[in-house]
Amino acid sequence: MIFRLTLTSVIALATTPAISQEMNFNRIASFMVAENAPNAEESSAEIIAATADGMTLVYTDGPAGVVGFIDISDPTNPVANGAIELEGEPTSVSVFGSTAYLAENTSEDYINVSGFLHAVDLETQTVLSSCNLGGQPDSVAVSPDGSFVAVAIENERDEDLGKGRVGQLPAGFVAIVPTVNGGLNCDGLISADITGLADIAPEDPEPEFVAINEENEIVVTLQENNHMIVLAADGSVLNHFSAGEVTLEGVDINEEGALIFDETVTIVREPDSVTWIDNTHFATANEGDMDGGSRGWTIFSQDGDIVYESGVEFEHAIIQIGHYPEERSGNKGVEPESVTFDVFGGTPYVFVGAERSSIVGVYNVTDPANPILEQLLPSGIGPEGYVTIPERNLLISANEVDDAGPRAHVMLFEYQEAPAAYPHLTSAGMDDLVGWGAISGQVMAEDGTIFAVSDSFYGMQPTIFHIDVSATPARIVDAIRVTREGQPAQLMDMEGIALDGKGGFWIASEGRSDRLVPHAIYHVGVDGAIEDYISLPNELLAVERRFGFEGITRVGDMLFIAVQREWRDDPVNHAKVLGYNLKTEEWSVIHYAKTAPTTGWVGLSEIVAHGEFMYFIERDNQHDTRAVTKLITRVPVSAMDEMVALGETPAVLQPETVVDLLPLLTSTGGYVLDKVEGLAIAEDGTMWVSTDNDGVDDHSGETLFFSVKAE
């Protein structure tokens, strides 16, 4: 059978011609950093820059010990363009003309510090000259006129000594190196002394980031010292001041497996990166370190006045689109780390990167006192650095986290005449601030809305979300908390949801015996209260594994439950589909023949009865280019008549593919996400699909929530 696939979602909006003059940034491509370091166990994209013609990206990769190059002559198809290996660790890079200025940390330890600044010819990828900096370098910036390079010599502290606090010598400073014919004049190096200025550990400044304005003035952040300094090109101090503190209302400071934003804290900013907006104003990303991190960003005037403070606005906006990192609540929340400025289409923008939420905030700063948050863009995990190429309408993010899941990526966004393609789902517009994440099973209601459950990541706040899919993006309009005797229901891992036909729900909970989480089906009332439950019979408990219930659907008096992977009595590449008769209380079983995995494993993630068919989501556990199996399949509902009693030999379902989801999972320019877990089907056959973002724990936080129609 041939299926005609029609996209009917926000994904389609990002790939069709615009009919208005609306301008937005949308992601158009992703580049896996490992392509430039295929033999490295770990690779990363940290600080990134672009050549003058905007055709090549240059980035630092500390774990692999290289500086990588990416050809973006076709920005929709970035190509690996080689790398330069270093003996030490590359920490930062900045480009002027055809020369890249690269910092390399060669320190033996925290006391015997050393490092170099290299001038690299970008055409030949060779080192032109090198200067001994006399300390451990961090950030690098080249002046707009190309006459000098400023380097933050951090000489960072040993966090295992002195309770990890500043006050550990040698002190940091700012190195100012003149350039000559594209190379470096090492004899002219100035070591700008910035000791004695900060209120916190004045003897031990740790400069973190530098930026230079059109007047060749250098702004320096001292993150651990919570201080800002402005230097002239000769190293003299023009001004300095404390970065101050912020009072935040409506924050979550407890990592208790629930999103509760009811605390008020006063905390120091401890800014990380900084960018000039004009010659008198600069913005800071207030990541925090020892004592602070204000979860937002600030615009200062050069004389130290606060022109704008984001407060909780940035974090609250991130909460609403499901990117809040609950596991960082007790630390620094969304953790803004990067700020970048440029002008696109005549509009000045500040781009704020939230490291722990993997989000780029796009702020219109036409009025620096009243920035407007226009977009939130999805990045890879841990965005660290950004570069803008306004002549080509490009914004690029470098994402440093590289692990066994998704690899580190560089992502390209284009300023284009088109609607915003992200987010796909939001809780904006609700009376109260509602956070969400880890969306799993779904079910379509008769009125065309969707109910979806969050999984065990929020163990102290199990929730059924009511979603209006008629809006773009889809909107969460209610959050129904699942309770037991009036308290949040614990020891649940909600992975599937079905309507009970009476206003309530049947919830499939994936068990995990080693954590005392039972495999069970819960009957939940319209108010979220657990009214009853169905436990597994001994025949199933004797063979169970942790890879349990991943979906539930109801047909009349029958509940059908998809088991993710093989249990102990299942043949290889076969998973159980269980039946439970609500009237007779009898269990039955049939096998689903899964696709054999190429890498990792393949399992079932959802089951939905619609019309004459039973639909499944079948997926592997792989990300990015390693992903092979992401499918919507189906079998006739009549095939379920072959289910047998427990203990008998099950028949085997032979599913047919309805939709290969892989092309859709990359249609917004990102890499393939592993967990396609939710499926709901409307009366007209439109299928709504969602991905589980793991509660933003070792995950980019990105949730795809889109519809397709197969006929």
Side-chain angles (χ1 to χ4, degrees):
M1 182 176 293
I2 298 175
F3 295 91
R4 181 170 63 84
L5 183 62
T6 305
L7 277 81
T8 59
S9 68
V10 289
I11 287 182
L13 296 178
T15 57
T16 55
I19 59 174
S20 71
Q21 297 300 311
E22 182 182 10
M23 299 296 294
N24 285 288
F25 291 89
N26 284 316
R27 187 174 51 197
I28 58 173
S30 299
F31 173 82
M32 188 186 299
V33 178
E35 293 184 29
N36 258 337
N39 297 321
E41 292 185 5
E42 181 182 357
S43 58
S44 178
E46 297 159 328
I47 305 301
I48 193 163
T51 55
D53 63 5
M55 297 296 176
T56 302
L57 300 176
V58 188
Y59 64 91
T60 59
D61 182 345
V66 304
V67 178
F69 303 91
I70 308 171
D71 179 355
I72 59 166
S73 52
D74 176 2
T76 65
N77 184 33
V79 177
N81 197 26
I84 297 175
E85 293 188 11
L86 301 176
E87 293 183 3
E89 175 196 7
T91 61
S92 184
V93 65
S94 187
V95 171
F96 184 85
S98 60
T99 305
Y101 297 98
L102 167 68
E104 178 186 14
N105 177 22
T106 57
S107 301
E108 294 180 16
D109 50 43
Y110 294 100
I111 297 175
N112 300 294
V113 292
S114 63
F116 292 86
L117 179 66
H118 306 289
V120 178
D121 185 295
L122 290 171
E123 293 183 4
T124 62
Q125 296 185 9
T126 57
V127 176
L128 299 172
S129 55
S130 302
C131 296
N132 188 332
L133 295 171
Q136 173 249 317
D138 196 340
S139 169
V140 172
V142 60
S143 64
D145 63 5
S147 63
F148 68 92
V149 180
V151 186
I153 306 299
E154 185 176 12
N155 291 341
E156 63 185 356
R157 71 194 189 281
D158 184 346
E159 296 186 17
D160 293 328
L161 294 177
K163 297 182 179 180
R165 305 192 64 80
V166 285
Q168 300 178 25
L169 300 180
F173 58 94
V174 176
I176 302 171
V177 186
T179 62
V180 55
N181 298 324
L184 297 167
N185 175 11
C186 300
D187 292 337
L189 187 151
I190 298 170
S191 296
D193 182 7
I194 52 174
T195 60
L197 303 178
D199 297 328
I200 299 170
E203 78 285 1
D204 180 27
E206 287 194 16
E208 187 78 23
F209 211 93
V210 291
I212 307 171
N213 66 12
E214 297 287 343
E215 296 178 348
N216 284 344
E217 296 167 330
I218 308 163
V219 60
V220 187
T221 61
L222 276 60
Q223 185 172 21
E224 290 78 8
N225 310 87
N226 195 39
H227 211 74
M228 305 293 304
I229 301 173
V230 181
L231 302 174
D234 63 1
S236 59
V237 176
L238 299 176
N239 195 23
H240 70 93
F241 51 88
S242 169
E245 62 184 23
V246 187
T247 296
L248 305 173
E249 297 180 354
V251 296
D252 186 349
I253 62 173
N254 298 303
E255 298 165 12
E256 76 279 56
L259 298 173
I260 302 173
F261 306 99
D262 62 355
E263 299 286 346
T264 298
V265 297
T266 298
I267 198 160
V268 292
R269 291 187 174 90
E270 292 186 340
D272 185 338
S273 64
V274 61
T275 185
W276 289 93
I277 294 175
D278 53 37
N279 287 333
T280 57
H281 298 91
F282 47 78
T284 62
N286 305 323
E287 179 197 24
D289 197 326
M290 300 185 306
D291 302 309
S294 64
R295 306 182 180 216
W297 67 288
T298 307
I299 297 178
F300 292 95
S301 69
Q302 188 170 337
D303 61 10
D305 292 334
I306 296 173
V307 176
Y308 167 78
E309 168 56 51
S310 71
V312 295
E313 179 206 53
F314 185 47
E315 182 167 272
H316 281 191
I318 290 172
I319 290 165
Q320 291 173 333
I321 66 166
H323 278 250
Y324 181 76
E326 161 63 11
E327 291 294 307
R328 300 292 296 178
S329 290
N331 202 324
K332 294 169 283 187
V334 299
E335 203 165 310
E337 183 170 13
S338 304
V339 281
T340 305
F341 171 82
D342 220 322
V343 178
F344 286 80
T347 301
Y349 290 103
V350 168
F351 304 95
V352 185
E355 180 184 14
R356 298 293 177 172
S357 291
S358 301
I359 278 290
V360 185
V362 180
Y363 279 86
N364 181 328
V365 291
T366 300
D367 178 1
N370 296 285
I372 300 170
L373 178 59
E374 294 192 346
Q375 285 185 265
L376 293 168
L377 307 176
S379 187
I381 304 179
E384 177 78 9
Y386 297 85
V387 64
T388 53
I389 311 175
E391 298 80 9
R392 302 189 67 198
N393 284 330
L394 295 176
L395 165 71
I396 293 98
S397 71
N399 307 282
E400 66 176 339
V401 175
D402 185 81
D403 60 22
R407 305 300 304 271
H409 280 73
V410 169
M411 293 187 167
L412 289 80
F413 303 85
E414 183 178 60
Y415 188 59
Q416 56 185 221
E417 190 176 312
Y422 198 80
H424 290 179
L425 180 63
T426 179
S427 65
M430 296 186 68
D431 292 338
D432 298 318
L433 178 66
V434 172
W436 58 274
I439 294 294
S440 187
Q442 299 176 181
V443 64
M444 182 70 66
E446 291 183 0
D447 63 359
T449 60
I450 287 176
F451 291 96
V453 292
S454 59
D455 67 23
S456 62
F457 187 86
Y458 305 105
M460 293 298 296
Q461 195 183 52
T463 303
I464 301 169
F465 294 102
H466 194 187
I467 301 170
D468 176 8
V469 296
S470 68
T472 302
R475 292 190 177 273
I476 295 172
V477 295
D478 194 12
I480 305 166
R481 308 303 186 189
V482 179
T483 59
R484 184 184 286 111
E485 297 181 352
Q487 299 298 315
Q490 299 180 46
L491 299 179
M492 292 183 69
D493 183 3
M494 300 191 300
E495 296 285 354
I497 181 171
L499 303 177
D500 70 355
K502 302 175 183 179
F505 311 94
W506 290 104
I507 303 292
S509 178
E510 182 177 25
R512 180 130 186 210
S513 298
D514 60 336
R515 296 181 181 177
L516 302 180
V517 179
H519 300 276
I521 302 169
Y522 293 91
H523 192 201
V524 176
V526 66
D527 61 351
I530 294 176
E531 298 177 351
D532 199 359
Y533 70 94
I534 302 166
S535 58
L536 264 64
N538 291 333
E539 297 97 317
L540 291 173
L541 290 175
V543 296
E544 63 89 20
R545 283 180 173 159
R546 55 168 291 197
F547 317 111
F549 297 167
E550 281 286 329
I552 187 170
T553 192
R554 182 180 67 87
V555 179
D557 292 326
M558 285 294 296
L559 296 177
F560 297 96
I561 308 100
V563 176
Q564 185 184 68
R565 292 165 60 186
E566 296 91 332
W567 282 5
R568 283 191 285 272
D569 61 337
D570 295 324
V572 174
N573 296 327
H574 287 69
K576 286 182 172 70
V577 177
L578 296 171
Y580 182 80
N581 190 306
L582 292 167
K583 282 191 173 181
T584 66
E585 300 183 354
E586 294 176 324
W587 288 86
S588 54
V589 63
I590 198 166
H591 273 138
Y592 178 104
K594 301 184 299 169
T595 304
T598 301
T599 304
W601 54 259
V602 170
L604 300 180
S605 284
E606 182 68 289
I607 181 172
V608 177
H610 177 74
E612 298 179 356
F613 293 93
M614 192 74 71
Y615 292 83
F616 299 85
I617 288 180
E618 183 181 349
R619 70 167 180 92
D620 58 23
N621 65 333
Q622 300 299 299
H623 296 80
D624 47 63
T625 58
R626 295 162 291 176
V628 175
T629 304
K630 312 287 184 187
L631 303 172
I632 297 176
T633 66
R634 75 180 188 183
V635 300
V637 169
S638 59
M640 310 307 285
D641 293 340
E642 298 183 35
M643 299 186 83
V644 299
L646 300 181
E648 298 182 18
T649 301
V652 179
L653 297 171
Q654 298 296 335
E656 60 179 337
T657 297
V658 179
V659 180
D660 182 354
L661 292 168
L662 280 176
L664 306 184
L665 296 173
T666 58
S667 60
T668 56
Y671 54 77
V672 174
L673 301 170
D674 64 331
K675 289 189 174 181
V676 187
E677 296 218 352
L679 177 65
I681 306 178
E683 184 177 357
D684 67 356
T686 300
M687 297 183 288
W688 285 88
V689 180
S690 66
T691 60
D692 178 352
N693 73 0
D694 280 338
V696 205
D697 187 25
D698 294 326
H699 193 286
S700 67
E702 185 169 351
T703 295
L704 298 184
F705 187 88
F706 60 90
S707 63
V708 295
K709 189 170 184 179
E711 298 178 348

